[in-house]
Amino acid sequence: MSAYCELSNIFYAVTGFHAVLNTLFAVFMFVLICYLHMHKNILVYTGILTVISGFMMTGANAVSLREVKHLEIHFFMYDVFACMPWFLFEALLSLCSAFCIVLWLHINREKKKMLKPGAMKETLDVLPDGICFSREDGQPLLVNIRMNRLCSELIGSEMLNTQVFWEKLNRKKISGSNRILRMQPSVVVQLKDDSIWDFQRKTLKVDDYKVEEIIAYDVTTQYSLSMELESRNQRLVKMNDALIEFNHEVGRITKEKEILNAKIKVHDDVGRSLIAFRLYLTQKGDRESRERLLDMWRYTIKMLKNEAENERNGDDWEMLCQAAQEMSVIIERDGDLPDDAVISSILITVAHECLTNMLKHAGGRHLYLNLRYDGGLITAEFRNDGRSPDQTITETGGLKNLRYTVETAGGKMTVESLPVFLLRIEFQMGDGLNGKDQGDDR
């Protein structure tokens, strides 16, 4: 098998050119890896390949130069590669070429994963917010398109110096119809297109250097929501004031209602006393009747003078029945009074008024009260055995006050004149209200 030194000059030229290509390609990849700052392992492999390719290129050159007779130069490389079989030398060159191709493919894959020099700027330019980085003296390092547009809108020029820009914002020296809405803790600006931008500034420390950062956020939606919330809060304050006024009004109306109830009671007691006195005059009364009449008038006079004392025994219904007995009148009740204290008090007041009107106009001796419970509906009907009305009853005085009292409490009042007098009171209560067992109670 022929040694490498025994081949022709054409073969020397081909192998030498092959070696030169390998060396140049390896050097190119080595420089490219250094420029791209790739991983150190790749740099080491490329460096070894570059040295091997250069060594083989030098050996091929030494063998070819040895063939020139007039050159008396001894090459070390000649001793290494001269006796090497030619196919082994060519195999080493091919192996170096294969490694060069593999490394080149790997470098291309890594390049695709790496950011291009302008990739950061392109990324920041597509952001909807404004971003600017600068040195401490205000010289911009990186400004995206949005920040330049905002800067042009506010001060009439692009971002040339961040300190100048920020100073103009703080001094409110902005152009056009733009206006500053807030200065602290950040600067909020409303542009002429009604968009709201929040400018924030802070200092970042990168290694031993300080970098100024200015970011502009679009807060149009948040600002409109905050304004709407503030408007709602103002409406709530007004509603609260109205509720406070309403509470005062309720207190006033309650006080007036209590005064009205007191007047109704005075009216009823005085009317009962007058009717009892009239019966005493028209009928021959004994000494016991006269004493009861005197006691009644003494109580009425004390009440008119605000000196009456609630010292009577029993509840209001018993007191009403006792007063009716003193006037020779019987009150018959079918059904128990409701448990609700307010409704019970209203029904007793209605019974009082019906008793007074019966003695005054109808001359009856029996007052009938029929109570019915139908679920949550309470119905009370008042009748008497006196004369039927000659005409339709007009609600004045006591009946008018009764209607106001009943309807104010949420009830319904109906007055029938013919063929007999009937006064019906209805209250709609909750499901939890049930009447007691009905029975005859006088």
Side-chain angles (χ1 to χ4, degrees), residues 366-395:
H366 290 81
L367 177 64
Y368 304 101
L369 169 58
N370 183 21
L371 288 165
R372 299 194 306 272
Y373 296 88
D374 185 8
L377 180 65
I378 303 175
T379 304
E381 293 181 347
F382 295 86
R383 295 185 179 88
N384 60 68
D385 61 351
R387 297 184 301 274
S388 299
D390 298 332
Q391 58 186 0
T392 302
I393 297 176
T394 302
E395 296 182 17

Short mmCIF file of all heavy atoms in Angstrom, two decimals, residues 366-395:
data_model
loop_
_atom_site.label_atom_id
_atom_site.label_comp_id
_atom_site.label_asym_id
_atom_site.label_seq_id
_atom_site.Cartn_x
_atom_site.Cartn_y
_atom_site.Cartn_z
N HIS A 366 -126.47 46.27 73.97
CA HIS A 366 -125.54 45.18 73.72
C HIS A 366 -124.60 45.57 72.56
O HIS A 366 -125.09 46.03 71.52
CB HIS A 366 -126.27 43.88 73.37
CG HIS A 366 -126.99 43.29 74.53
ND1 HIS A 366 -128.24 43.74 74.95
CD2 HIS A 366 -126.63 42.27 75.38
CE1 HIS A 366 -128.65 43.03 75.99
NE2 HIS A 366 -127.69 42.13 76.27
N LEU A 367 -123.34 45.37 72.78
CA LEU A 367 -122.32 45.56 71.73
C LEU A 367 -121.70 44.20 71.44
O LEU A 367 -121.20 43.53 72.35
CB LEU A 367 -121.25 46.55 72.17
CG LEU A 367 -120.09 46.78 71.17
CD1 LEU A 367 -120.60 47.42 69.89
CD2 LEU A 367 -119.00 47.64 71.79
N TYR A 368 -121.75 43.79 70.15
CA TYR A 368 -121.27 42.46 69.77
C TYR A 368 -119.94 42.61 69.00
O TYR A 368 -119.84 43.40 68.06
CB TYR A 368 -122.29 41.74 68.89
CG TYR A 368 -123.65 41.63 69.54
CD1 TYR A 368 -124.68 42.51 69.18
CD2 TYR A 368 -123.91 40.67 70.51
CE1 TYR A 368 -125.92 42.43 69.76
CE2 TYR A 368 -125.17 40.58 71.10
CZ TYR A 368 -126.17 41.46 70.74
OH TYR A 368 -127.40 41.38 71.31
N LEU A 369 -118.98 41.79 69.40
CA LEU A 369 -117.68 41.74 68.70
C LEU A 369 -117.43 40.30 68.27
O LEU A 369 -117.37 39.39 69.13
CB LEU A 369 -116.55 42.22 69.61
CG LEU A 369 -115.12 41.98 69.09
CD1 LEU A 369 -114.89 42.65 67.73
CD2 LEU A 369 -114.09 42.48 70.10
N ASN A 370 -117.33 40.07 66.97
CA ASN A 370 -117.08 38.74 66.42
C ASN A 370 -115.69 38.72 65.80
O ASN A 370 -115.39 39.48 64.87
CB ASN A 370 -118.14 38.40 65.36
CG ASN A 370 -117.96 36.98 64.82
OD1 ASN A 370 -117.34 36.14 65.46
ND2 ASN A 370 -118.52 36.72 63.65
N LEU A 371 -114.81 37.84 66.33
CA LEU A 371 -113.43 37.71 65.85
C LEU A 371 -113.26 36.40 65.10
O LEU A 371 -113.63 35.33 65.61
CB LEU A 371 -112.44 37.76 67.03
CG LEU A 371 -112.26 39.13 67.70
CD1 LEU A 371 -111.57 38.96 69.03
CD2 LEU A 371 -111.46 40.04 66.79
N ARG A 372 -112.68 36.49 63.88
CA ARG A 372 -112.43 35.29 63.07
C ARG A 372 -110.97 35.29 62.62
O ARG A 372 -110.40 36.34 62.28
CB ARG A 372 -113.35 35.25 61.83
CG ARG A 372 -114.82 35.20 62.17
CD ARG A 372 -115.63 34.80 60.94
NE ARG A 372 -115.35 35.64 59.80
CZ ARG A 372 -115.97 36.79 59.52
NH1 ARG A 372 -116.93 37.22 60.35
NH2 ARG A 372 -115.66 37.49 58.45
N TYR A 373 -110.42 34.06 62.57
CA TYR A 373 -109.03 33.88 62.13
C TYR A 373 -109.02 32.92 60.95
O TYR A 373 -109.47 31.77 61.07
CB TYR A 373 -108.16 33.31 63.26
CG TYR A 373 -108.03 34.23 64.45
CD1 TYR A 373 -108.98 34.18 65.48
CD2 TYR A 373 -106.99 35.13 64.54
CE1 TYR A 373 -108.87 35.02 66.57
CE2 TYR A 373 -106.88 35.97 65.63
CZ TYR A 373 -107.83 35.91 66.65
OH TYR A 373 -107.72 36.73 67.73
N ASP A 374 -108.53 33.40 59.84
CA ASP A 374 -108.43 32.56 58.64
C ASP A 374 -106.98 32.60 58.14
O ASP A 374 -106.60 33.45 57.33
CB ASP A 374 -109.39 33.07 57.55
CG ASP A 374 -109.40 32.16 56.32
OD1 ASP A 374 -108.79 31.07 56.41
OD2 ASP A 374 -110.01 32.54 55.30
N GLY A 375 -106.17 31.67 58.65
CA GLY A 375 -104.74 31.70 58.33
C GLY A 375 -104.10 32.93 58.94
O GLY A 375 -104.03 33.09 60.15
N GLY A 376 -103.63 33.82 58.08
CA GLY A 376 -103.01 35.06 58.57
C GLY A 376 -103.97 36.24 58.56
O GLY A 376 -103.56 37.36 58.85
N LEU A 377 -105.25 36.03 58.22
CA LEU A 377 -106.23 37.12 58.15
C LEU A 377 -107.05 37.17 59.44
O LEU A 377 -107.65 36.17 59.85
CB LEU A 377 -107.15 36.92 56.94
CG LEU A 377 -108.23 37.99 56.75
CD1 LEU A 377 -107.58 39.34 56.46
CD2 LEU A 377 -109.18 37.59 55.62
N ILE A 378 -107.05 38.34 60.07
CA ILE A 378 -107.84 38.58 61.28
C ILE A 378 -108.99 39.51 60.90
O ILE A 378 -108.77 40.59 60.36
CB ILE A 378 -106.99 39.22 62.39
CG1 ILE A 378 -105.79 38.34 62.71
CG2 ILE A 378 -107.83 39.45 63.63
CD1 ILE A 378 -104.85 38.96 63.70
N THR A 379 -110.23 39.07 61.18
CA THR A 379 -111.41 39.88 60.87
C THR A 379 -112.18 40.11 62.15
O THR A 379 -112.51 39.16 62.88
CB THR A 379 -112.31 39.18 59.84
OG1 THR A 379 -111.55 38.88 58.67
CG2 THR A 379 -113.49 40.06 59.46
N ALA A 380 -112.47 41.38 62.44
CA ALA A 380 -113.26 41.77 63.61
C ALA A 380 -114.48 42.56 63.15
O ALA A 380 -114.34 43.54 62.42
CB ALA A 380 -112.40 42.58 64.58
N GLU A 381 -115.67 42.11 63.55
CA GLU A 381 -116.92 42.78 63.16
C GLU A 381 -117.63 43.26 64.40
O GLU A 381 -117.82 42.51 65.38
CB GLU A 381 -117.81 41.81 62.38
CG GLU A 381 -117.23 41.42 61.03
CD GLU A 381 -118.15 40.49 60.25
OE1 GLU A 381 -119.10 39.95 60.86
OE2 GLU A 381 -117.90 40.32 59.04
N PHE A 382 -118.06 44.53 64.38
CA PHE A 382 -118.73 45.17 65.52
C PHE A 382 -120.19 45.46 65.12
O PHE A 382 -120.45 46.08 64.08
CB PHE A 382 -118.02 46.47 65.90
CG PHE A 382 -116.62 46.28 66.42
CD1 PHE A 382 -115.55 46.21 65.54
CD2 PHE A 382 -116.38 46.15 67.78
CE1 PHE A 382 -114.26 46.04 66.01
CE2 PHE A 382 -115.08 45.99 68.25
CZ PHE A 382 -114.02 45.92 67.37
N ARG A 383 -121.13 44.99 65.96
CA ARG A 383 -122.57 45.25 65.77
C ARG A 383 -123.15 45.66 67.12
O ARG A 383 -122.51 45.49 68.17
CB ARG A 383 -123.31 44.02 65.26
CG ARG A 383 -122.90 43.56 63.86
CD ARG A 383 -123.79 42.39 63.43
NE ARG A 383 -123.47 41.92 62.09
CZ ARG A 383 -122.58 41.01 61.79
NH1 ARG A 383 -121.88 40.46 62.79
NH2 ARG A 383 -122.36 40.62 60.56
N ASN A 384 -124.41 46.16 67.08
CA ASN A 384 -125.12 46.47 68.32
C ASN A 384 -126.62 46.22 68.11
O ASN A 384 -127.08 46.02 66.97
CB ASN A 384 -124.85 47.91 68.77
CG ASN A 384 -125.28 48.94 67.74
OD1 ASN A 384 -126.50 49.12 67.49
ND2 ASN A 384 -124.30 49.60 67.12
N ASP A 385 -127.36 46.21 69.21
CA ASP A 385 -128.81 45.97 69.13
C ASP A 385 -129.60 47.26 69.15
O ASP A 385 -130.82 47.26 69.47
CB ASP A 385 -129.25 45.06 70.29
CG ASP A 385 -128.97 45.69 71.65
OD1 ASP A 385 -128.29 46.75 71.69
OD2 ASP A 385 -129.41 45.13 72.67
N GLY A 386 -128.98 48.36 68.84
CA GLY A 386 -129.67 49.64 68.85
C GLY A 386 -130.42 49.91 67.55
O GLY A 386 -130.59 49.03 66.69
N ARG A 387 -130.92 51.13 67.42
CA ARG A 387 -131.67 51.53 66.23
C ARG A 387 -130.75 51.55 65.01
O ARG A 387 -129.59 51.93 65.10
CB ARG A 387 -132.30 52.91 66.43
CG ARG A 387 -133.33 52.97 67.57
CD ARG A 387 -133.99 54.36 67.62
NE ARG A 387 -133.00 55.40 67.83
CZ ARG A 387 -132.55 55.78 69.02
NH1 ARG A 387 -133.00 55.18 70.12
NH2 ARG A 387 -131.66 56.75 69.12
N SER A 388 -131.33 51.18 63.85
CA SER A 388 -130.57 51.23 62.62
C SER A 388 -130.41 52.68 62.18
O SER A 388 -131.30 53.53 62.44
CB SER A 388 -131.28 50.44 61.51
OG SER A 388 -131.40 49.07 61.89
N PRO A 389 -129.31 53.02 61.54
CA PRO A 389 -129.11 54.41 61.09
C PRO A 389 -130.18 54.84 60.09
O PRO A 389 -130.64 54.03 59.27
CB PRO A 389 -127.71 54.38 60.45
CG PRO A 389 -127.05 53.16 61.02
CD PRO A 389 -128.14 52.17 61.25
N ASP A 390 -130.59 56.09 60.14
CA ASP A 390 -131.58 56.61 59.21
C ASP A 390 -130.97 56.85 57.83
O ASP A 390 -131.70 56.88 56.82
CB ASP A 390 -132.18 57.91 59.76
CG ASP A 390 -132.92 57.67 61.08
OD1 ASP A 390 -133.40 56.53 61.28
OD2 ASP A 390 -132.96 58.60 61.90
N GLN A 391 -129.71 57.07 57.76
CA GLN A 391 -129.04 57.37 56.50
C GLN A 391 -127.59 56.85 56.56
O GLN A 391 -127.16 56.35 57.60
CB GLN A 391 -129.03 58.87 56.23
CG GLN A 391 -128.37 59.68 57.33
CD GLN A 391 -128.49 61.18 57.13
OE1 GLN A 391 -129.07 61.61 56.15
NE2 GLN A 391 -127.96 61.95 58.06
N THR A 392 -126.92 56.96 55.42
CA THR A 392 -125.53 56.50 55.37
C THR A 392 -124.67 57.30 56.35
O THR A 392 -124.75 58.53 56.40
CB THR A 392 -124.96 56.66 53.96
OG1 THR A 392 -125.78 55.92 53.05
CG2 THR A 392 -123.54 56.12 53.89
N ILE A 393 -123.88 56.58 57.11
CA ILE A 393 -123.05 57.21 58.13
C ILE A 393 -121.88 57.93 57.46
O ILE A 393 -121.18 57.36 56.63
CB ILE A 393 -122.54 56.17 59.13
CG1 ILE A 393 -123.73 55.54 59.88
CG2 ILE A 393 -121.56 56.80 60.12
CD1 ILE A 393 -123.32 54.44 60.83
N THR A 394 -121.68 59.18 57.86
CA THR A 394 -120.53 59.95 57.39
C THR A 394 -119.42 59.86 58.44
O THR A 394 -119.66 60.12 59.61
CB THR A 394 -120.92 61.42 57.15
OG1 THR A 394 -122.00 61.46 56.20
CG2 THR A 394 -119.74 62.21 56.61
N GLU A 395 -118.26 59.50 57.97
CA GLU A 395 -117.14 59.31 58.90
C GLU A 395 -116.55 60.67 59.28
O GLU A 395 -115.86 61.31 58.50
CB GLU A 395 -116.07 58.42 58.27
CG GLU A 395 -116.53 57.01 57.99
CD GLU A 395 -115.40 56.16 57.41
OE1 GLU A 395 -114.24 56.57 57.53
OE2 GLU A 395 -115.69 55.10 56.84
#
